[in-house]
Amino acid sequence: MSNTPAPAPATRTAAPSGAPATSRLVRSLAVATLVANIAIVVTGGAVRLTASGLGCPEWPLCTPDSLVTTPEMGVHGIIEFGNRLLTFVLAAIAFGMLASVWKSRRSRPDLLRLSIAALAGIPAQAFIGGITVWTGLNPWVVGLHFIVSMVIISVAVVLVNRAWLSSDGVAGRHAQLADRPLRPVIWAIGALSAITVVLGVIVTGSGPHAGDHGAARNGLNPDLVTRLHVVPVYLLVFATAVALYLVYRRTADKRLRSSLVLFTAVVLAQAVIGYVQHFLHLPIVLVAMHMLGASLLTAAAAHVVYTALSRKVPGKAPAEAQDSSRVPAAG
């Protein structure tokens, strides 16, 4: 009888602790959620900048008698109806995201909640879009439509970050990557980014690109609101410079540095586009780029705030947290 030991049963190799804890499908759909919501902002801008906002003069139908655009409505009807069709693309991605995280809803309720929030934003935006048509492109309603898109983009950024968390990141709570001196600066960056976007919406509502030649404007002085708009921009640039100084002066996590560098690039590019479009009297190409920039600014700001302040991002605890956790020796 042979004494040769039986071979050990094959075991599944565990995923590295730093590897994402979700499937590739979940991560891909999370990224698609973010990209699609930014894309529909750009296409919505194209509707407004081509004066196609009332290309479909009814909602939810395109005309009183037709769900789709008709030949008589011309290119404006095609542009407006095409933008409406993109809503179904967003819905397909959102439902796919929700389905992909449903099995893990008990272990990852965070992904489930964020997926539901992203999905809920679609009918909300569709209804607000309908109100814009019913009110003849009221600039305040159009502005609300844009701001809600920025909220959804922020949710999508958090969704992407959490979809890419490792098993360690999901299982444990970690200290914030930003130390105490940096935290108020990060909060300031988030708040100033939001104020900048909101004031930018008000500036747009006072400008010439109304979405239709007969649409009303908000009645505010464009030069005055533009000057108000640049105040938080200056403060945002200053806060960003302070944040960069702090993270490079201290031993900061490279993820925090990378997120701030990316945000700095977006802020500077958006500021340059804003100034150039103003002095060139708002050419539609630059206005479209500025709308894309607003979406990227929102996404980059949300990424900075999440990376710096979330307790679910694995990383070494700041020195203050380490000091506070030390227990004095007895005796």
Side-chain angles (χ1 to χ4, degrees):
M1 185 175 180
S2 174
N3 293 326
T4 304
T11 57
R12 181 179 296 177
T13 303
S17 60
T22 55
S23 67
R24 180 178 297 179
L25 175 63
V26 170
R27 300 195 302 272
S28 298
L29 286 170
V31 173
T33 300
L34 175 60
V35 172
N37 278 284
I38 292 176
I40 202 167
V41 170
V42 176
T43 59
V47 171
R48 181 171 61 84
L49 294 171
T50 58
S52 303
L54 294 177
C56 284
E58 299 290 335
W59 190 90
L61 300 179
C62 190
T63 72
D65 303 315
S66 175
L67 176 65
V68 301
T69 183
T70 61
E72 293 78 14
M73 301 171 69
V75 67
H76 294 302
I78 294 173
I79 294 173
E80 164 63 6
F81 187 71
N83 187 61
R84 292 187 183 190
L85 288 178
L86 287 179
T87 301
F88 294 99
V89 176
L90 259 68
I93 294 172
F95 276 113
M97 184 71 213
L98 183 60
S100 69
V101 301
W102 184 254
K103 289 184 179 180
S104 59
R105 61 188 181 278
R106 297 186 185 278
S107 60
R108 294 300 304 273
D110 55 329
L111 295 181
L112 179 65
R113 289 192 296 267
L114 290 166
S115 300
I116 292 173
L119 177 60
I122 296 173
Q125 279 292 70
F127 181 66
I128 297 172
I131 296 176
T132 63
V133 174
W134 295 338
T135 59
L137 305 182
N138 180 289
W140 299 104
V141 180
V142 174
L144 175 63
H145 201 37
F146 185 84
I147 290 171
V148 173
S149 288
M150 298 302 103
V151 173
I152 298 173
I153 286 172
S154 299
V155 170
V157 168
V158 178
L159 178 62
V160 171
N161 274 283
R162 298 193 67 78
W164 284 81
L165 278 178
S166 65
S167 299
D168 288 346
V170 174
R173 292 184 64 83
H174 304 267
Q176 295 170 336
L177 294 185
D179 57 13
R180 185 172 296 172
L182 181 60
R183 289 172 202 162
V185 183
I186 297 297
W187 282 119
I189 286 175
L192 289 169
S193 297
I195 294 170
T196 297
V197 170
V198 170
L199 289 178
V201 169
I202 296 174
V203 172
T204 299
S206 69
H209 302 296
D212 185 80
H213 298 299
R217 302 282 71 204
N218 61 25
L220 300 176
N221 185 294
D223 288 333
L224 176 60
V225 291
T226 298
R227 292 177 188 276
L228 292 175
H229 174 51
V230 300
V231 172
V233 174
Y234 289 140
L235 294 175
L236 182 59
V237 171
F238 175 74
T240 304
V242 172
L244 284 172
Y245 170 76
L246 290 175
V247 298
Y248 278 95
R249 180 172 175 265
R250 300 165 182 267
T251 306
D253 189 282
K254 64 179 182 179
R255 289 164 295 183
L256 181 53
R257 289 186 177 185
S258 298
S259 67
L260 273 170
V261 169
L262 174 63
F263 178 74
T264 302
V266 173
V267 168
L268 294 179
Q270 181 72 334
V272 170
I273 294 171
Y275 270 106
V276 173
Q277 72 163 4
H278 175 72
F279 290 111
L280 293 181
H281 306 292
L282 304 177
I284 61 173
V285 173
L286 289 181
V287 173
M289 292 176 62
H290 204 49
M291 291 185 67
L292 172 61
S295 301
L296 297 178
L297 176 68
T298 299
H303 181 56
V304 166
V305 173
Y306 176 86
T307 304
L309 302 179
S310 173
R311 293 184 179 275
K312 282 291 189 179
V313 178
K316 293 182 178 180
E320 70 201 54
Q322 293 175 352
D323 290 342
S324 63
S325 63
R326 294 174 183 170
V327 179

